[in-house]
Amino acid sequence: MGNVISCFLPGTEFDRAAQGLLGAAARLASACQVPHVALAACVSDTMTEALERHADRVVCIRSGLLSNDHPESCLAAFHAACASLDAQTVLLGQDARSQEMTPRLGYRLGGCSIGDAQSIDMTDGGLSVRRSVYGGKAVAVVRASRTPAVVWIRARAFEPAAERSDSVQTEILDVEISDGIAATQVTGRQEESRTGVRLEDAPVIVSGGRGLGGPEPFEELKKLAGVMKAEVAASRAACDAGWVPPGLQVGQTGKKVAPELYLAIAISGASQHLMGITDARVIAAINTDAEAPIFRHCQFGLVDDWKNVVGPLTERIASLLQ
Amino acid sequence: METATREVYWNISHHWVMYVLLVPTMAVALYGVWRHVQRWRAGKPVVRFDRPVMRLKRLIRFGLLQISLWRDPLTGLLHAMLFWGFITLTAATTVVMIHEDLNIPLMQGRFYLYFQSLFVDVLGLLAIVGTLLAGLQRWVLRPRRLVFSGEASCLLLLVFTILVTGYLLEGWRIAVTDDPWGHWSPVGRVVADVSAAFVSDAGLRTAHVVVWWFHLVLVFGFIAWAPYTKMRHVLTAPLNIFTADLDSRAGTLKPLDFETAASFGVNSLEQFTWKELLDLDACTECGRCTDACPAASAGKSLSPRDIILDLQHQLHEADVSVLSAASKAASDPDSGPALPIIDTRPALSPESLWQCTTCAACVEACPVSIEQFPKILDMRRYLVMEEASLPPMLAEAVTSLEQRGHPFRGAQASRTDWTDGLDIPHFRDVEDPEVLLWVGCGGALVDRNQSSTRALARLLQKAGVRFGILGRDETCTGDPARRIGHEFLFDAMARSNVERLESAGVRTVVTSCPHCFHTFRNEYPQFGAHLEVFHYTTYLARLIGEGRLVIDPAVTESITLHDPCYLGRHNGITQAPRDLVGRVTGRPLKEMRQHGAQSFCCGGGGGMSFLEEEADTRVNIERARQVVETGADTVAVACPFCTTMLEDGLGAVSEERSVAVKDIAELLWDSVSSDSSDGDASTDHIDSSDD
Amino acid sequence: MKILVCLKQIPDPEVAPRDFRLDENNLIADPASAGLVTNIFCENALETALQLKEAAGGEITVLTFGPAEAEDVLRKALAVRADHAVHVINPGLLHPGSSGAACVLSAAIRKLGSFDLLMFGREAGDWGEGQTAGLVAEHLGLPFVAFVDSLQTTESGLHIVGQTDSGREELTAAGPVVVSITNSDANVPRIPKTRDIMMAHRRDITTWSLEDIDLTEDLVREAAGSVEVTELFIPEKDTTCEFITGDSADERIDAFARRIVDVIGSI
Ligand SMILES: Cc1cc2nc3c(=O)[nH]c(=O)nc-3n(C[C@H](O)[C@H](O)[C@H](O)COP(=O)(O)OP(=O)(O)OC[C@H]3O[C@@H](n4cnc5c(N)ncnc54)[C@H](O)[C@@H]3O)c2cc1C
Ligand code: SF4
Ligand code: SF4
C-alpha cells in the first residue's frame, strides 16, 4: 500500500500553507488507512516540533550537500528519501520550489505528477484530483493511474489537520547524493517586502475608486487591506486623480489581476475596469448605488457609504481573524 | 473732351533698365519654382489632372471664393482683401504691359476710368487695410495657430511697403501732371492733395523717380523671393486645390499592394506621391488645422500644421538629386529609408503620431486642401508594419483583433449577450431579409453599449423590419487595425468580411457604429464589396418617414448632440441624427460650440480609445466641457465609442454639472409610439433560432 | 548559443465565458467555441529567447507537438524571426497530457541534437499543469529552473533570474539547462513586422510524425496514460449579487465582514 508522504522543503515554516498540506496528507492517509509520513529537510526546530504533532512519522533528511541553494541536490535528496520510504502518494505545497520539483520527483519515482490540486480523493482506480482548467472556466477531475502520484496542492485551500495529543519522534535519514549536483547554483536571492507583492499575484485585493474622493481615504483602505493581508489597487479614476500611483490601476489599460477575493470600494464597475478582474474568484463591492454595474459581477455586496463602513469593517475583520 | 488715359512712364527715363532687371528676377523666381517642381516629381505617380471641369469647379469654390476661410470672419475678411487686392493689382499691371509693350491701347476711356483707376484704387486700399489687419492679427492678437517667423513678418512689411509706395507714386503723378481724371483714383487724389500742400512739383518729381525705382526693386524682390517663402502658396495653393483627390473623402484610406510595395507605409520623402509632396509646399502656415485638432486643443504635442511644415522643411533640405535618385532606385527594404522623416523633427515624433484620432478636422479646416492626417497614417503604417513599433496598448488591441476578431483585450461579453430575451435571429435564418444588422464590437462587447444595441434592435422589430445578425460569426470590420496603421491585418479582415457577407447573400447593411459604417461604405468597395450601407440614424429616419415607426415627442429633458466624426465629417451625415433627436423632444436641440462638420472629436477614433491618455490632456474631457457648456441635461450620441468616451469625460467634469449620455436609439425607444407597425408580425416568419 | 523554445497551441483563454463550451464526449474544450492561440507563457519564453539572441547571438529553434493547425504557432514564431521550426504531428491523441507531450518533445529534441538552453512556458493556459518542462528535463537528464523571467549569458555560464514566493532568486548554470519562463514586464511578446509575417509563410517547417522520432502512437498513449481525465465540466457560477441586509448598520457590517473572512479563510 505504501505511505502518504508530505514534503517540506528547506526553509519551510509552519504557516497556513504547511498546515493545509499536513491536513490534506493526514486525511488522505486515514482514508487509505496508511501512515502519513512528513518528510522534511533543513527546517527549523519549531517546524520539526509542529510536524511531530501532526504526522504518523516524521523523517528528516540529513545530507552534507543539502541546502536550499542546491535545487538539484534538494531534488535528489527527496527522491532518495521517497524511494526508501515506499511512497504511495507524495504531496507538496504550492511554493515555487515545490512546484518546480513535482514533475521531476514523479518522473524519478517512476510514478506520475499532477499540479495545482484543489481537492484530492482516493478512488479505486487511484488518486483522483480536482483542479480548475481553461483559466477557471472549467473544472477537471483527473486520476493518477501510476504510483506513486506526486502532487502539489493549493495548500492554503485545504483544512488544517487537527493537532494530535501525542507527538512522534523525528527520524533522521541519511542520504547519499551524487548526480548532477553542481549543474545549477543559486548565487543570490532578493526578498521583496510584503507590500511589494505584484498585484497580479495577490490573493486578496482591496480596490478603491473615484467615490473615495481623495488620497486620505486610501490610507483607511490600506488599514483594511492590512488586516485582510491584501494588496491595495484602484480604478483609473482614482489613479488619474493622483490619489494612488498609476501602477495600482486595474482594468483594460491597467493590471489584470486574479485574486481569490476582490473587494471594490466606491468603484462603479465600468467595463474597462471589469476587464481587469475577469479572473477574480470572488468579487465583492461596497457602493452607495445599488444599480452600479459592479454589483452585477459581485457574489456579495453592501449598499452603503464607504465612510460608514470601512472603519468598523476593519475592526470587525481584525477581530474575526484573531 | 479728350479720351481718359494716362502716360505710363511719364516721369521715368531709362525704363529699359526695368526689363533688364526683370530677367534675373524671373530667373531667380523660376529657378525657385523649378526646384519645387523637381522635388514634387520625385514623388510616386498618381493621376490628378483628369476630369478638368470638376477640378475647375473645385478651384472656383475653394481657390477663388475661398469658402473655407470665412469660418474665421477676421481672417476671411483680411485674406479676401489681400487676395482680391493682389489679383486686381496684378491684372492692372498686366493691362499696363499690354497697353505699353504690345501697343494695344487698353488704358483709355471708360475702362481706364472705371477699372484701371477707380476699381484698382479702391481694391488697393482694401489690400492695405488687409495688411493692417494681418499685422493686427500677427503682432497684437497673436492667435496660437500662426507661425511667428521672421519670414512672415518680412513678407507682410514688404507687401505693405509695396502697396503704400504704389499710392505715393500715383498721388505724386496726379499732383504734378494735374491729372484731369485724378479724382477717379480717390486714394491717389488724396495723396496728391496732401503732398502738393507740402512739397513743390519739382520735389515731387525727384521723389517720384526715387520711389519709383524703390517700388520696382521691392516688387521684383518680392517676385524673386516669393517661391522661396510661404508666398509660394499663391501658385501651389490653387494647384493643390485643382489636383485634390476627387474620388474619396480624406478619411478613406488607400489600400496597399503588399506584393509590390517597396515600403509598407512612409518613412522617406520619396515614398510620398508627387501630390503629397505638393501638399507640403501648398501650406500657408495658417494653422487652422492645428486649431481644429482635438489632440492639439487638449494640450497634446500633436500639431498637423507642424507635421506639414516639418515635412516641408525636410523636403526643402533634401538634396534634389538624392531625392530623385531615391525615387528611381528600386528600394531595398533592408537598406532603410533614404530620406527619413519619422522622429527627425519634433512634430514628427512617434509620440505625436500616436495621438491622432483620425477625426479629419484638420483636413476639413485646411483652406488649401492639404491632407494632413493621411500622412500621419502613412507614417503610422511604417511604424507598425516595417518597425513593429507601436504603443503596447495598441499592440494588444491589434493582437486581440488578430486572435479573436475584436479589439477589446479581456472583453467578458460574447457577441450575443445583448440579445438575451430579444429573440434576434441569425441572418441566415431570416426569410427574405431586408437588412443585416451589423452590431460591431463596441455595440456588442462593451457592457454600457448593449442597452443601445438592444434599443436599436427593438426599434427594428417594432417597425417590422426583417433583419438578422451574424452573432458569433461577426468579426470586427478591421477599422481599428486600419486607423492604427496595421493595413496588413485590415486587408485580411476586410477580405474575409467581404467574402462572408457575399456568401451570406447580404445586400443591405445597417450598422450601429459609424466606424463600421464608414468602413463598409467607403473602404470595402476597395475589396470588391457591393453593399448598400446605412448608419442606423439614417435608416431609422427612413423608417419614420415611411410611417413604419412612429415616435412621440416623449422626452422632456433638454438635449445636445455630439456628432461622431465618422458620421458627420467623414460622411456628411449631420441632419438625420438631428431629425431623430427633434422627434423625441419636439424641440430644436441645444447645439454645442463645435457641431456638424466642425464637430470636435470624442477622442476615441483612430484606435485611441485603446490607449491610455495622459490625465491632463484628454480629448474627451475637452469635449465633455463643451457638452456641459450647453446647459443640456443629456447628450445624444450615435456611436458606441463616443458613448464610452463621453461618459468617462463627463464623469471627470461632473463636479461642474452632471449630464447623461444616451444613444439616439435609446432615446427613440423611450419615445416609440404604440402606433408603430406591429413588430411582432415580423417574427411570425422568422426562425427564432440563434446560436 | 543554441536555443530551443517549445510552443503549445491552446484554445484562446480570453474567450468570453458565455462562449466557452465543452465537448463532453471527449472531455476537452469544444474546438469550435474558441479560437486557437499560442500559449502566452510560451510567447514570453520565445520573447526571452529572442532578446537573448539579440544580446548574445545564437540560433533559435521552435518546436511544437500538436495537430496540423498547430503549424500556425510555428509560423508566428518564424514571423518574429525564430530560425528553425519543427512540428511533430499529433496523430489525434486527445489527451497527451504533460507526460505524453514530454515524451514526444524529448524524443524530438534528442533527434535535433544538443541545445545550450531549452525554454518552456511556465504553464499552458488550457490545462495549466506546468509539468512538461520539468518532465522534459528529466527525460534528457538536464537541470531545471522554473519561473524564470530573465536570462543573461556570462563567462561562467547562464545567469538565470527566477521568481520565488517572496522575491527573486539568481542562479548560474554552467552547462545546458531547461527553464520554464514566466511573464514579466520585460518579456511581453513583440508583434512581428509585416514583411516577416509574409516571409514566414514561405519558410520551411520540418514536419515529423511520431515514427520519425522513433516513437509510436501506443508508446505516447502509454506515457500519457499515467494521468487520466475522468471528468470535465463547467462549474455553476453564481453571479447574482447577494446584497447583505440587516436591521442595523452594525449588523450589516458584521455580516459583510463574516462573508469576507469566509473567503479569506479558504485561501
Ligand atoms: C479607453 C479607456 C480605457 C479605460 N481603462 C480603464 C482601466 O484600465 N481601469 C479603470 O478602472 N478604468 C478605465 N477606464 C475608465 C472607466 O471608463 C471609468 O471611467 C472608471 O473606471 C471609473 O472609475 P470609478 O469606478 O472609480 O469612478 P466612477 O465611475 O465615477 O464611480 C464612482 C462610484 O463610486 C460610488 N460612490 C460615490 N460615493 C460613494 C460613497 N461615499 N460610498 C460608496 N460609494 C460611493 C458611486 O456610486 C459610483 O458607482 C477607461 C476608460 C476608457 C475610455
Ligand atoms: S485627424 Fe484630427 S486628431 Fe488627427 S491631426 Fe487631424 S485634427 Fe488632429
Ligand atoms: S496645412 Fe492647411 S490648415 Fe494647416 S497650416 Fe497649412 S494651410 Fe493651414
Side-chain angles (χ1 to χ4, degrees):
Chain A
M1 273 301 270
N3 295 308
V4 170
I5 301 177
S6 55
C7 297
F8 299 89
L9 273 42
T12 310
E13 295 295 338
F14 190 62
D15 56 9
R16 178 68 183 78
Q19 293 166 22
L21 179 54
L22 282 169
R27 279 187 300 277
L28 184 69
S30 78
C32 304
Q33 295 175 316
V34 297
H36 164 208
V37 183
L39 178 64
C42 308
V43 295
S44 62
D45 291 345
T46 32
M47 180 66 185
T48 320
E49 281 157 27
L51 293 179
E52 285 168 356
R53 290 193 307 273
H54 285 87
D56 299 320
R57 272 175 76 190
V58 177
V59 177
C60 214
I61 304 173
R62 193 166 64 188
S63 164
L65 280 169
L66 188 56
S67 83
N68 202 15
D69 288 351
H70 285 101
E72 300 296 322
S73 60
C74 185
L75 171 65
F78 274 83
H79 166 229
C82 288
S84 72
L85 284 169
D86 184 19
Q88 170 234 50
T89 305
V90 181
L91 297 183
L92 293 94
Q94 74 190 123
D95 56 288
R97 184 76 83 221
S98 292
Q99 291 191 32
E100 179 183 279
M101 260 174 57
T102 299
R104 310 182 74 189
L105 199 50
Y107 183 91
R108 288 194 188 183
L109 291 169
C112 65
S113 62
I114 300 172
D116 197 15
Q118 278 153 344
S119 76
I120 49 174
D121 251 320
M122 190 49 80
T123 64
D124 293 343
L127 185 77
S128 174
V129 170
R130 212 174 148 88
R131 47 194 307 274
S132 87
V133 293
Y134 294 111
K137 293 190 183 74
V139 172
V141 180
V142 297
R143 193 174 53 209
S145 26
R146 200 175 291 161
T147 48
V150 180
V151 183
W152 74 260
I153 65 172
R154 283 201 197 176
R156 272 189 280 265
F158 286 77
E159 281 288 308
E163 202 167 298
R164 301 147 66 118
S165 45
D166 54 336
S167 68
V168 296
Q169 191 67 41
T170 297
E171 306 156 39
I172 302 292
L173 181 69
D174 283 300
V175 294
E176 195 79 11
I177 351 168
S178 55
D179 56 324
I181 305 309
T184 57
Q185 200 83 41
V186 174
T187 53
R189 212 170 253 135
Q190 300 134 31
E191 304 294 314
E192 280 165 3
S193 62
R194 181 71 188 85
T195 51
V197 169
R198 304 175 341 137
L199 275 180
E200 290 93 325
D201 298 332
V204 184
I205 292 176
V206 175
S207 192
R210 174 146 49 209
L212 289 178
E216 301 81 20
F218 270 94
E219 295 305 318
E220 292 194 43
L221 247 56
K222 278 182 200 149
K223 282 189 206 127
L224 175 60
V227 305
M228 290 170 68
K229 303 263 183 307
E231 295 302 315
V232 172
S235 75
R236 191 179 79 173
C239 295
D240 284 356
W243 303 338
V244 286
L248 297 194
Q249 178 179 328
V250 166
Q252 183 190 339
T253 47
K255 299 237 160 70
K256 287 194 81 188
V257 298
E260 295 294 314
L261 173 65
Y262 187 86
L263 175 57
I265 302 177
I267 288 177
S268 64
S271 57
Q272 291 88 354
H273 186 79
L274 293 173
M275 281 183 195
I277 53 174
T278 327
D279 293 332
R281 189 167 68 82
V282 176
I283 299 173
I286 302 170
N287 197 304
T288 39
D289 177 9
E291 296 293 316
I294 186 79
F295 285 129
R296 277 188 261 131
H297 302 264
C298 278
Q299 268 77 353
F300 58 98
L302 186 61
V303 180
D304 207 336
D305 192 324
W306 68 265
K307 293 188 209 84
N308 309 330
V309 176
V310 173
L313 185 66
T314 310
E315 285 165 26
R316 202 63 206 100
I317 292 177
S319 67
L320 283 170
L321 283 174
Q322 282 290 301
Chain B
M1 192 170 166
E2 214 181 320
T3 319
T5 186
R6 73 172 165 93
E7 199 188 334
V8 170
Y9 292 113
W10 170 62
N11 189 32
I12 306 299
S13 54
H14 308 298
H15 50 81
W16 54 267
V17 175
M18 178 179 89
Y19 292 94
V20 175
L21 284 177
L22 189 60
V23 175
T25 300
M26 290 315 285
V28 172
L30 288 176
Y31 176 71
V33 173
W34 180 77
R35 295 248 309 178
H36 288 307
V37 175
Q38 284 291 99
R39 290 199 176 95
W40 305 333
R41 286 168 56 99
K44 293 191 296 184
V46 56
V47 179
R48 287 298 171 80
F49 285 104
D50 55 335
R51 287 166 290 176
V53 179
M54 258 171 101
R55 294 187 179 282
L56 221 54
K57 279 193 193 149
R58 249 193 135 257
L59 187 58
I60 291 171
R61 248 172 88 78
F62 294 99
L64 217 52
L65 304 178
Q66 305 180 340
I67 52 159
S68 47
L69 283 184
W70 287 95
R71 261 175 230 143
D72 173 6
L74 174 65
T75 316
L77 186 69
L78 78 85
H79 194 270
M81 287 172 163
L82 284 167
F83 177 75
W84 289 108
F86 260 77
I87 296 262
T88 314
L89 291 171
T90 313
T93 314
T94 316
V95 168
V96 174
M97 271 171 61
I98 295 171
H99 175 91
E100 181 71 16
D101 298 327
L102 303 181
N103 262 323
I104 303 171
L106 284 180
M107 275 173 58
Q108 50 180 288
R110 291 228 173 105
F111 176 74
Y112 172 71
L113 290 182
Y114 293 143
F115 176 75
Q116 200 75 355
S117 301
L118 183 60
F119 188 70
V120 172
D121 197 73
V122 172
L123 274 260
L125 179 64
L126 289 183
I128 291 187
V129 176
T131 51
L132 289 174
L133 288 178
L136 175 77
Q137 194 177 43
R138 174 162 298 276
W139 294 306
V140 183
L141 302 177
R142 300 182 65 86
R144 218 167 38 111
R145 63 180 173 83
L146 293 186
V147 177
F148 296 96
S149 65
E151 178 195 290
S153 302
C154 273
L155 282 169
L156 197 53
L157 285 173
L158 185 56
V159 169
F160 180 76
T161 319
I162 288 172
L163 290 169
V164 170
T165 49
Y167 277 111
L168 294 180
L169 293 172
E170 182 180 53
W172 296 340
R173 178 187 56 77
I174 292 173
V176 176
T177 58
D178 202 8
D179 188 343
W181 298 284
H183 55 277
W184 284 94
S185 306
V187 184
R189 188 71 254 174
V190 172
V191 174
D193 294 346
V194 174
S195 318
F198 294 99
V199 189
S200 67
D201 270 11
L204 287 180
R205 269 178 184 276
T206 319
H208 182 267
V209 175
V210 175
V211 172
W212 194 91
W213 286 106
F214 177 62
H215 178 81
L216 181 91
V217 169
L218 290 187
V219 170
F220 280 16
F222 180 75
I223 293 173
W225 190 36
Y228 301 89
T229 68
K230 69 169 189 167
M231 280 315 293
R232 78 179 77 80
H233 81 269
V234 170
L235 292 176
T236 50
L239 184 59
N240 203 48
I241 293 169
F242 187 80
T243 56
D245 185 357
L246 297 180
D247 297 310
S248 51
R249 292 170 170 275
T252 305
L253 302 177
K254 302 280 183 294
L256 262 180
D257 183 346
F258 287 94
E259 291 309 318
T260 58
S263 163
F264 302 158
V266 172
N267 185 23
S268 193
L269 288 169
E270 85 285 355
Q271 292 161 351
F272 283 121
T273 65
W274 65 260
K275 169 59 177 61
E276 286 165 327
L277 295 178
L278 169 61
D279 257 12
L280 307 180
D281 278 323
C283 180
T284 67
E285 302 183 5
C286 73
R288 282 179 184 74
C289 48
T290 296
D291 213 26
C293 174
S297 308
K300 296 194 203 296
S301 61
L302 174 64
S303 163
R305 177 199 70 192
D306 293 346
I307 285 180
I308 295 299
L309 289 178
D310 276 0
L311 284 173
Q312 186 199 78
H313 296 147
Q314 201 73 0
L315 178 66
H316 291 173
E317 275 173 22
D319 195 309
V320 179
S321 59
V322 174
L323 191 59
S324 28
S327 86
K328 280 191 200 84
S331 347
D332 166 10
D334 288 332
S335 70
L339 297 146
I341 46 185
I342 297 172
D343 222 6
T344 53
R345 287 167 187 271
L348 302 173
S349 71
E351 188 201 339
S352 298
L353 299 178
W354 289 119
Q355 292 167 349
C356 174
T357 69
T358 72
C359 74
C362 48
V363 177
E364 173 75 23
C366 182
V368 296
S369 303
I370 290 171
E371 299 189 341
Q372 299 88 337
F373 92 84
K375 293 182 184 57
I376 296 178
L377 257 293
D378 277 337
M379 292 186 268
R380 279 196 194 172
R381 282 183 176 181
Y382 188 90
L383 286 171
V384 173
M385 292 190 287
E386 293 287 0
E387 307 212 307
S389 112
L390 64 167
M393 296 286 167
L394 291 187
E396 285 189 23
V398 163
T399 308
S400 179
L401 276 171
E402 194 181 292
Q403 295 186 341
R404 34 201 94 89
H406 69 71
F408 297 103
R409 173 187 78 145
Q412 301 181 316
S414 79
R415 292 246 176 219
T416 50
D417 278 5
W418 65 270
T419 62
D420 281 354
L422 280 191
D423 202 9
I424 312 283
H426 194 284
F427 185 78
R428 74 171 106 78
D429 300 324
V430 183
E431 224 174 276
D432 186 20
E434 287 177 81
V435 296
L436 168 73
L437 173 60
W438 183 273
V439 180
C441 312
L445 301 174
V446 178
D447 250 14
R448 160 64 184 90
N449 297 318
Q450 290 178 4
S451 101
S452 317
T453 311
R454 287 172 69 84
L456 173 57
R458 291 163 103 163
L459 287 164
L460 295 178
Q461 284 180 331
K462 191 84 186 167
V465 177
R466 295 184 305 280
F467 75 100
I469 56 171
L470 290 182
R472 278 168 46 95
D473 299 330
E474 194 182 292
T475 54
C476 179
T477 57
D479 160 83
R482 188 168 236 200
R483 313 296 143 196
I484 285 169
H486 207 320
E487 184 64 16
F488 190 69
L489 179 56
F490 173 74
D491 194 279
M493 297 184 84
R495 280 175 211 285
S496 87
N497 273 326
V498 168
E499 196 187 293
R500 182 175 306 146
L501 294 181
E502 187 92 345
S503 66
V506 174
R507 253 167 239 105
T508 310
V509 179
V510 173
T511 75
S512 75
C513 170
H515 299 263
C516 300
F517 169 67
H518 174 81
T519 310
F520 274 124
R521 183 198 200 196
N522 303 316
E523 303 192 334
Y524 276 11
Q526 298 165 350
F527 299 87
H530 310 283
L531 296 163
E532 189 186 13
V533 193
F534 293 95
H535 181 252
Y536 81 82
T537 49
T538 29
Y539 193 74
L540 293 182
R542 193 160 106 162
L543 291 178
I544 294 170
E546 288 168 353
R548 289 171 78 180
L549 204 54
V550 181
I551 303 295
D552 292 329
V555 173
T556 52
E557 68 231 48
S558 67
I559 295 187
T560 185
L561 174 73
H562 168 77
D563 288 276
C565 302
Y566 275 84
L567 198 60
R569 196 155 35 240
H570 283 287
N571 284 289
I573 297 173
T574 51
Q575 201 47 49
R578 285 181 171 68
D579 290 346
L580 294 180
V581 174
R583 291 270 172 184
V584 301
T585 58
R587 281 171 280 124
L589 48 79
K590 296 190 165 182
E591 289 289 9
M592 274 188 261
R593 189 148 41 91
Q594 286 171 282
H595 63 268
Q598 272 77 52
S599 178
F600 188 92
C601 184
C602 70
M608 293 306 103
S609 60
F610 306 105
L611 262 188
E612 188 68 353
E613 292 175 86
E614 296 287 325
D616 52 345
T617 58
R618 274 198 196 137
V619 173
N620 60 345
I621 293 183
E622 202 65 25
R623 185 54 162 171
R625 294 220 170 87
Q626 296 190 7
V627 172
V628 171
E629 236 172 63
T630 61
D633 307 314
T634 299
V635 54
V637 290
C639 169
F641 290 94
C642 297
T643 307
T644 24
M645 294 310 287
L646 287 181
E647 273 190 352
D648 180 58
L650 285 164
V653 299
S654 59
E655 72 282 5
E656 293 167 36
R657 203 162 56 76
S658 87
V659 180
V661 179
K662 284 197 187 144
D663 193 273
I664 291 180
E666 293 176 305
L667 287 167
L668 284 169
W669 180 248
D670 289 343
S671 316
V672 76
S673 158
S674 46
D675 295 344
S676 301
S677 71
D678 196 351
D680 296 341
S682 68
T683 47
D684 283 354
H685 51 86
I686 294 178
D687 202 340
S688 62
S689 80
D690 177 31
D691 55 354
Chain C
M1 171 144 53
K2 283 187 74 185
I3 306 173
L4 178 91
V5 184
C6 288
L7 302 172
K8 183 181 185 188
Q9 188 178 50
I10 60 167
D12 183 2
E14 285 194 28
V15 63
R18 280 183 60 172
D19 285 343
F20 181 77
R21 283 185 308 272
L22 296 173
D23 174 347
E24 316 264 342
N25 297 325
N26 291 318
L27 299 178
I28 53 167
D30 179 350
S33 78
L36 295 169
V37 300
T38 310
N39 174 37
I40 176 69
F41 294 113
C42 297
E43 290 190 295
N44 294 136
L46 179 57
E47 178 60 38
T48 311
L50 290 165
Q51 290 176 12
L52 195 61
K53 176 185 155 178
E54 280 156 6
E59 234 180 31
I60 299 174
T61 303
V62 287
L63 168 65
T64 194
F65 170 55
E69 305 89 74
E71 182 186 321
D72 199 41
V73 307
L74 298 178
R75 295 269 172 229
K76 286 199 174 114
L78 290 172
V80 286
R81 301 209 169 176
D83 300 286
H84 312 286
V86 182
H87 187 176
V88 182
I89 304 282
N90 179 341
L93 296 163
L94 290 169
H95 287 285
S98 302
S99 28
C103 160
V104 173
L105 294 173
S106 43
I109 293 167
R110 270 195 210 100
K111 178 157 173 154
L112 283 169
S114 64
F115 291 93
D116 303 306
L117 175 62
L118 298 95
M119 302 170 78
F120 292 75
R122 61 176 281 183
E123 64 186 67
D126 52 358
W127 284 78
E129 291 177 285
Q131 307 289 296
T132 310
L135 289 173
V136 169
E138 288 302 306
H139 273 279
L140 300 174
L142 294 174
F144 172 56
V145 186
F147 311 117
V148 171
D149 71 4
S150 83
L151 288 161
Q152 261 178 306
T153 46
T154 62
E155 282 179 10
S156 51
L158 260 183
H159 180 75
I160 302 169
V161 183
Q163 295 179 3
T164 64
D165 305 289
S166 56
R168 290 148 79 87
E169 191 171 77
E170 292 170 29
L171 300 95
T172 44
V177 59
V178 177
V179 297
S180 80
I181 299 288
T182 189
N183 65 305
S184 78
D185 51 359
N187 64 16
V188 178
R190 62 189 68 189
I191 72 159
K193 297 179 182 176
T194 295
R195 230 169 265 286
D196 293 337
I197 302 176
M198 294 167 68
M199 290 294 289
H201 283 280
R202 298 180 201 133
R203 298 267 298 277
D204 286 334
I205 289 179
T206 307
T207 307
W208 285 336
S209 65
L210 293 180
E211 286 68 28
D212 288 334
I213 50 174
D214 302 324
L215 288 174
T216 62
E217 214 176 306
D218 284 341
L219 280 172
V220 181
R221 210 182 292 279
E222 196 198 311
S226 64
V227 177
E228 282 171 273
V229 181
T230 55
E231 273 178 73
L232 182 67
F233 57 92
I234 295 180
E236 298 276 327
K237 206 164 186 180
D238 180 21
T239 45
T240 48
C241 176
E242 181 200 326
F243 286 106
I244 305 292
T245 52
D247 294 334
S248 69
D250 283 346
E251 238 171 77
R252 287 196 301 272
I253 290 169
D254 182 62
F256 196 71
R258 281 176 193 283
R259 290 296 302 267
I260 287 179
V261 169
D262 275 355
V263 182
I264 299 179
S266 73
I267 299 172

